[in-house]
Amino acid sequence: MKAIEVRNLRRVFRATIGVVRRKIKEIVAVDDISFEVYDGELFGLLGPNGAGKTTTVKMLTTMLIPTSGEARVLGLDVVRSAEALRSRIGFVFGGERGLYWRLSGYDNLRYFASLYHVDPAVSRKRIPYLLDLVGLSDRGQEKVEGYSRGMKQRLHIARTLLHDPQVLFLDEPTIGLDPVGARELRQVVRNLQAEKKTILLTTHYMFEADALCQRIAVIDKGRIIALDTPEGLKTYVKDLAVIEFEVYGVPSNVLEQLRAQPYVHTVSVENRDQKQALLIHSPRGSQAVPDLLSMMNGIRIGNVIVREPTLEDAYVRLVGGEA
Amino acid sequence: MNLKTLRDYGRVIFYAAEMALRSNLTDSFVLFGILVQPIIIALLAFWMLGDRGGEYIIFVVIGSGMTGLWTSCLFISGNSITQERWTGTLELMVSTPTPVSVIVIGKILSNVLQSLASMVLSYTLAIVIFGYVPTINQPVLFTISLLLTILSYACFGLLISPVFVLNPDVQRLQNGLEFPVYVLCGFMFPIALLPGWTTPLSYILSPYWAARALHATSSQWNGLGEVALSWAAMVALSLIYLMLSSLLFKRLLRRARLDATLNIQ
Ligand SMILES: Nc1ncnc2c1ncn2[C@@H]1O[C@H](COP(=O)(O)OP(=O)(O)OP(=O)(O)O)[C@@H](O)[C@H]1O
Ligand SMILES: [Mg+2]
């Protein structure tokens, strides 16, 4: 059984730009994507900022109507059967919005339980259980405005489980959490999967997708550019080596020059504390280092490392070094 | 619609109303509007009009009370949708199995009841301070009229609130609606003073009939016929508003999902 089926889905936004001379600009946020998620699968949608992840999730959760194409969740069309679908799915959008800050965590849950038509006798038992599940038992009676960001995010997870949905959409659930909080949240996600829920997770952390998902769709500029298992995605870069230069700033003309070399596949720069890492993917591996160094004359360089590619590198290669 | 659905909706209305009450109690701006302002108005009204007789006072009390109810209904119902958009809960609300109109009913009912309660309190206070006892000709009929008034306001508020999900200029819409409705409904002076072509407009506004029933049962008793007519009109219009509102909500929510206006960017 397929829990989610997406066919040629597209979504265009119109935005007015300019204050004086108003113009309408069309933004293609999701550009003809198709994929399927199987029953009980934990599926990742991975992509950089603005790739169209949230837009896709909003269409699948009936908040936005697609411009064209179609999508079914649990066999129900997300436009025509939106009403029937709503009680069977849950969703979380990473971040602090979407809660009533003046109410306690408990009261937030009680209110949403009523909106999902959960019987009060059931919710009286389920709310304490869910608060416990997300580690908020002892803070449930406090107002949400006093919660930390991670607590609000965990409350959202509890909120979306109130009606025991079969399919869950988690849009960057770990965004803005500290490493410990993020790890705890990933454990909650794993536990949900163990309960046989179908989960579509979006993230822009490769390692998170790698650690959790059975299959990953890499999305960039509204299009799916790869869809495979984590192992499958790694083969995208298995012929390449990664050369890492520790640098302290690189002029853009040098980057251009590096990119122009035929044996260089991708060039990307990552910020690391005071310094930066210049990452170059090349099939020539260590043999390319002397040539590359000669092009970086006059740039201060620290360590140079040549290593095997990771999944992160596969991702960087797929999205063209912009991540 | 079966019994379980009705019970579920009833529960949503109750919780939404309770939430609206609680969030108002913690909002000092709204608190001023529903607690302090009516007291000031009531005291001023009694102080200025006290010597013109009980009947006149009750006319003014009801007229200004209706005006206050209308203003709070218009502003609070519109602002609450806008506020939910800002806090990101509007989108969430829309994507639950509960129709948005059911949630909005709870909020409006709560706000109308709160305004009403604060007015009753204010005028009771004014009565105690000034010692005038306003007369109500037909207390029983008046009470029934008051209950129907609450219903009318809730349904009328429900009719206009779908527009707010589209995210138009909320403030302009509110300012544009506030005064015309107040005049057309004859809260403070009879609609006979208005040009004839506006009369049909008054007739399709349920607060007009509410004002008429309340004035008639308190100070301008003209026999049961007029009151019965007002009641019938209130009930019929409220039912029509309910149907129109649910249609409007369906269409405008669809529009909002097309235009992506349920959330801020
Ligand atoms: N309501 C809207 N109006 C106009 N443009 C929009 C709207 N919502 C999204 N977009 C645009 O659509 C594109 C995709 O946005 P989306 O939020 O889906 O990306 P994302 O993959 O979730 O990114 P992020 O990782 O930053 O959350 C972006 O260019 C964004 O600016
Ligand atoms: Mg996003």
Side-chain angles (χ1 to χ4, degrees), chain A residues 11-16 25 27-30 46-58 64 171-172 175 202-204 219 221-222, chain B residues 259-261 263-265:
Chain A
R11 172 73 212 207
V12 179
F13 289 111
R14 282 158 191 281
T16 43
K25 188 183 158 209
I27 302 160
V28 184
V30 172
L46 174 73
N49 290 134
K53 303 180 295 291
T54 300
T55 307
T56 304
V57 172
K58 286 200 173 165
L64 279 178
D171 189 24
E172 303 196 38
I175 192 167
T202 84
T203 176
H204 48 229
I219 179 169
K221 300 189 183 78
Chain B
D259 295 348
T261 53
N263 206 331
I264 48 159
Q265 272 308 301

Side-chain angles (χ1 to χ4, degrees), chain A residues 13-29:
Chain A
F13 289 111
R14 282 158 191 281
T16 43
I17 48 170
V19 186
V20 189
R21 281 155 119 225
R22 287 177 153 254
K23 265 198 253 160
I24 295 204
K25 188 183 158 209
E26 291 210 330
I27 302 160
V28 184

Side-chain angles (χ1 to χ4, degrees), chain B residues 54-56 58-60 62-63 135-138 142 186-191 210-224 226-227:
Chain B
E55 287 223 327
Y56 190 70
I58 195 71
F59 183 85
V60 173
I62 286 166
T135 47
I136 290 175
N137 273 337
Q138 308 286 335
F142 180 81
F187 290 157
M188 294 297 269
F189 49 86
I191 61 162
R212 202 164 142 173
L214 289 176
H215 283 314
T217 51
S218 59
S219 58
Q220 301 173 329
W221 181 246
N222 268 328
L224 194 62
E226 187 191 338
V227 178

Side-chain angles (χ1 to χ4, degrees), chain A residues 11 13 58 61-66 78-79 82-83 86-87 91 93 97-100 102-103 107 110-112 114-120 143 156 159, chain B residues 4 8-9 11-12 15-16 18-19 22-23 26-27 84-89 91-98 103 250 254 257-260 262-264:
Chain A
R11 172 73 212 207
F13 289 111
K58 286 200 173 165
T61 51
T62 78
M63 293 177 193
L64 279 178
I65 293 181
V78 296
V79 180
E83 260 114 79
R86 284 173 182 160
S87 56
F91 52 83
F93 291 97
R97 304 178 71 236
L99 293 165
Y100 296 94
R102 295 214 198 103
L103 300 185
D107 287 339
R110 201 188 55 156
Y111 179 62
F112 281 110
S114 80
L115 297 188
Y116 278 97
H117 304 169
V118 180
D119 200 77
K143 279 190 184 176
H156 268 304
R159 187 215 77 222
Chain B
K4 170 160 184 345
D8 289 338
Y9 288 179
R11 196 177 308 117
V12 169
Y15 283 153
E18 190 200 348
M19 276 230 317
R22 279 212 241 174
S23 78
T26 51
D27 187 329
E84 300 237 21
R85 186 192 332 276
W86 277 92
T87 55
T89 44
E91 205 169 47
L92 253 107
M93 200 163 112
V94 169
S95 44
T96 69
T98 303
I103 303 168
K250 276 213 181 89
R254 199 186 152 81
R257 284 158 66 217
L258 279 168
D259 295 348
L262 290 176
N263 206 331
I264 48 159

